[in-house]
Amino acid sequence: MIHLPRRGVWRRTGAALRPHPRAPASPSARPAAHFASLGALHSPSPIPKQVGGTHRTSPPLPTSISRRCIHHHAETPTKLCPDAKTALQLSGLKTGDTVAVGGFGLGGIPETLLNELASQDDGPSNLTVASLTAGVDGFGLGLLFEAGKVKRMISSYVGENKNFERMFFTGELEVELVPQGTIAARLRAAGNGMPAIFTPAGAGTMYANGGIPLKYAPDGSVAIVNEPRPTQTFDGKEYVMEYALQPDVSLVKAWKADTRGNLIFRGTSQNANPDCAVAGKVVLAEAETIVEAGELDPDEIQLSGVYVDHLIQAEDNEKRIERLRETSAGQVTDISGGRGRIVKRAAKEFKDGMYVNLGIGIPTLASSFIPDGVHIELQAENGLMGLGPYPDPSLGQHGDADFINAGKETVTAIKGASSFSSSESFSMIRGGHIDLTILGGMQCSGSGDLASFFIPGKLLKGMGGAMDLVSSPSTVIVTMEHTAKDGSPKILKECTLPLTGKSVVDRIITDLCVFDCDKKGRKNGGLTLTEIADGVTVEDIRAATECSFDVAGGDLPVMEEA
């Protein structure tokens, strides 16, 4: 018989599940009447011995499954299920359904539920999966792709999964790239009973106008492209209409839960988990720690149990760190040459009191060179305000899978930091509460267009949160090398790659110079050269730039060397 502690929680210790130390030393087993009261739904089954882990056989299931299936005890109702297999059966998930999966990178992913779903050879397939990112090969979501479970992926960034990329370009997988903030907002809209939303993200780009490949044929030709999205103009600005995204089943991960399904998240592992939960027709949650109802302070609960249908203990809880980054006291970031010049110039954009979002790569490095007397707060769009430096083992800090930045690197949180869901994070961005955005780019145009996420037929990365960031009211600065590796210009009359944003860039900082962009056409549009690197002439800049530009009056300031 399966014995559940009356008080305390289940925790994985070694190969088996043990009661948490907080539980009484000799917890009384729940009476047989308790299981009998569950009827056929949760009749206890013997646990066969299995080397290397704990296994529970599945109880028989009713022919009709109710969404609000609370497993009633004579004293306390509970949503706790014995295992992931049972929870998935209770969800009614079937072939062809849409599944939303919480997590960002490998942070906050429901490992137990994903492992079980991927292992079911005769289980649901041909699924449409919606998640912020596509994970990595051989772990988490990657297992679903390798098991052939997924027909279409709705995601914002898929650049870390090589098998996924191969499947896409060989026609084995459909991929619908959607801005990260838009995915979160569409999920929230479904949970709020709203059929659609309007967002500026992607307006004026191929994303809104149609034409981004959704599926390739085996011969490499494009088989399906995305259709144009409806747009509407409000107060002179174009917005894209996005339909609510309501999955048939949502799989989410929490740090703590109680038996009524109330959830608490930790750090950036919150990400889109609450958004997936509010949207799902049926919601399965797994938690690292589960306590009895009443043990959580109501003010601590971040997601009400009203959204959760079935709850399991997170038995598979590896919490793999994708990019472990650590530092040491006094360590100075080693940058030199053109990249160093870009980084140091970008750091001069920080002004005291700013809230700032930094893209991965060169923009993130700029935070190591904040000018003296300037205090800023860094936001990570995966759900953290008050981003700190990489953990320093000499200070007793170590990489924590629950605290990562948008580049999936381990970070710390400064005093006074706050964590929040993906939908709230992008509400900050979309609502103009972030003052400055610095991000990288593949191409920019003279009119302030930016291309940064996709090379058709060659490179599949995704726009991540960039479309949301550049369409927001914040100041947008792009950092990039002035020319490509072959010497061809990256600042063009018109971008040749799919756009991340149209007329969105305020300033371009390269290894050769600084351009200001008249993105709103107040001075007839175009670029103005305002700073230049040491030893570089205006003629050199013209030779390396495809579009024309003006030159600011007077002596041009010289960029600081790294």
Side-chain angles (χ1 to χ4, degrees):
M1 178 175 291
I2 302 171
H3 298 299
L4 301 178
R6 291 296 304 277
R7 303 281 298 174
V9 300
W10 283 105
R11 172 171 288 182
R12 190 175 183 85
T13 304
L17 292 177
R18 308 290 185 193
H20 189 279
R22 286 177 53 195
S26 300
S28 58
R30 290 189 174 179
H34 160 61
F35 293 101
S37 70
L38 302 182
L41 185 61
H42 279 299
S43 298
S45 303
I47 305 175
K49 293 182 179 180
Q50 177 176 315
V51 177
T54 298
H55 174 74
R56 301 184 182 93
T57 58
S58 301
L61 297 175
T63 56
S64 176
I65 297 174
S66 170
R67 181 188 190 282
R68 293 298 176 197
C69 200
I70 297 178
H71 318 308
H72 287 282
H73 179 273
E75 299 175 4
T76 308
T78 177
K79 295 184 179 181
L80 191 60
C81 287
D83 53 35
K85 184 175 183 179
T86 303
L88 284 166
Q89 288 176 303
L90 288 168
S91 74
L93 180 66
K94 61 185 184 301
T95 293
D97 277 355
T98 296
V99 182
V101 180
F104 178 85
L106 303 182
I109 62 171
E111 295 178 44
T112 310
L113 290 163
L114 289 174
N115 289 348
E116 175 60 36
L117 180 58
S119 70
Q120 296 180 355
D121 294 336
D122 57 349
S125 61
N126 208 35
L127 300 171
T128 294
V129 175
S131 190
L132 297 184
T133 60
V136 297
D137 299 329
F139 187 73
L141 280 171
L143 297 174
L144 296 188
F145 305 127
E146 293 165 18
K149 297 285 187 181
V150 184
K151 174 186 178 183
R152 172 175 287 199
M153 181 71 184
I154 301 172
S155 189
S156 70
Y157 189 82
V158 297
E160 314 302 335
N161 194 319
K162 296 300 181 184
N163 180 62
F164 180 100
E165 189 172 334
R166 179 198 62 77
M167 292 177 68
F168 177 49
F169 284 125
T170 56
E172 300 173 54
L173 182 67
E174 298 176 12
V175 179
E176 183 180 350
L177 292 174
V178 179
Q180 193 174 133
T182 297
I183 293 176
R186 290 176 62 190
L187 289 166
R188 275 285 165 179
N192 293 341
M194 299 166 58
I197 60 167
F198 284 97
T199 173
T205 72
M206 186 182 289
Y207 172 77
N209 298 336
I212 294 179
L214 292 178
K215 184 178 182 180
Y216 283 89
D219 63 3
S221 61
V222 177
I224 307 174
V225 299
N226 74 314
E227 295 293 326
R229 285 170 161 79
T231 60
Q232 181 70 44
T233 300
F234 298 95
D235 296 328
K237 185 172 182 176
E238 187 178 20
Y239 291 78
V240 180
M241 192 182 85
E242 300 276 5
Y243 291 101
L245 176 55
Q246 185 169 46
D248 297 291
V249 177
S250 289
L251 311 180
V252 303
K253 170 75 174 290
W255 179 49
K256 280 186 179 181
D258 67 18
T259 54
R260 296 300 300 273
N262 296 307
L263 305 183
I264 295 176
F265 306 95
R266 182 172 182 269
T268 56
S269 289
Q270 181 173 179
N271 51 64
N273 277 295
D275 307 313
C276 293
V278 301
K281 295 178 183 177
V282 178
V283 178
L284 309 184
E286 62 179 81
E288 297 176 42
T289 298
I290 299 174
V291 300
E292 293 285 354
E295 291 193 26
L296 299 180
D297 187 321
D299 290 334
E300 290 182 302
I301 294 169
Q302 294 166 294
L303 185 80
S304 170
V306 71
Y307 297 109
V308 176
D309 298 290
H310 305 289
L311 174 69
I312 66 164
Q313 172 70 44
E315 296 184 359
D316 299 329
N317 204 33
E318 180 180 340
K319 299 182 71 171
R320 185 182 298 183
I321 293 176
E322 194 165 342
R323 291 177 178 164
L324 176 63
R325 291 293 302 271
E326 294 180 337
T327 188
S328 60
Q331 179 178 339
V332 178
T333 304
D334 182 21
I335 54 171
S336 59
R339 284 172 59 88
R341 194 179 303 127
I342 297 170
V343 168
K344 288 197 170 183
R345 177 58 187 83
K348 292 183 178 180
E349 297 294 330
F350 301 138
K351 301 297 184 288
D352 195 38
M354 275 185 166
Y355 291 94
V356 180
N357 184 289
L358 299 177
I360 60 177
I362 289 177
T364 296
L365 291 175
S367 63
S368 299
F369 297 90
I370 299 173
D372 292 339
V374 172
H375 299 85
I376 64 174
E377 283 205 43
L378 298 178
Q379 188 229 28
E381 61 260 34
N382 53 311
L384 183 65
M385 178 64 76
L387 198 66
Y390 299 130
D392 183 348
S394 69
L395 300 177
Q397 302 169 346
H398 298 281
D400 187 334
D402 291 336
F403 284 87
I404 60 174
N405 62 18
K408 293 93 172 179
E409 300 171 319
T410 50
V411 294
T412 57
I414 65 172
K415 291 182 179 180
S418 59
S419 59
F420 33 81
S421 68
S422 294
S423 58
E424 183 173 352
S425 180
F426 283 95
S427 291
M428 294 177 188
I429 293 166
R430 205 179 296 112
H433 304 288
I434 304 302
D435 302 299
L436 175 66
T437 294
I438 304 180
L439 73 168
M442 296 178 183
Q443 294 177 344
C444 281
S445 77
S447 58
D449 298 342
L450 170 66
S452 66
F453 79 99
F454 187 33
I455 300 176
K458 295 183 179 180
L459 177 64
L460 176 67
K461 290 176 62 178
M463 67 284 287
M467 278 190 174
D468 306 274
L469 285 160
V470 301
S471 65
S472 75
S474 72
T475 298
V476 175
I477 296 175
V478 172
T479 57
M480 65 180 188
E481 294 176 329
H482 204 100
T483 59
K485 291 181 180 179
D486 63 1
S488 59
K490 295 170 68 174
I491 303 176
L492 311 170
K493 294 177 182 177
E494 298 288 342
C495 294
T496 58
L497 297 175
L499 295 183
T500 306
K502 186 173 180 62
S503 299
V504 294
V505 179
D506 293 286
R507 179 167 289 168
I508 306 170
I509 301 174
T510 78
D511 51 328
L512 300 183
C513 68
V514 177
F515 282 125
D516 282 349
C517 306
D518 182 23
K519 67 180 184 182
K520 295 184 179 179
R522 292 170 178 168
K523 300 178 182 178
N524 298 318
L527 303 179
T528 300
L529 179 65
T530 59
E531 296 178 39
I532 198 166
D534 188 31
V536 177
T537 67
V538 173
E539 288 68 29
D540 294 333
I541 302 298
R542 292 196 189 280
T545 308
E546 184 187 77
C547 62
S548 61
F549 57 84
D550 295 329
V551 180
D555 294 333
L556 289 174
V558 177
M559 299 171 69
E560 180 183 353
E561 289 298 309

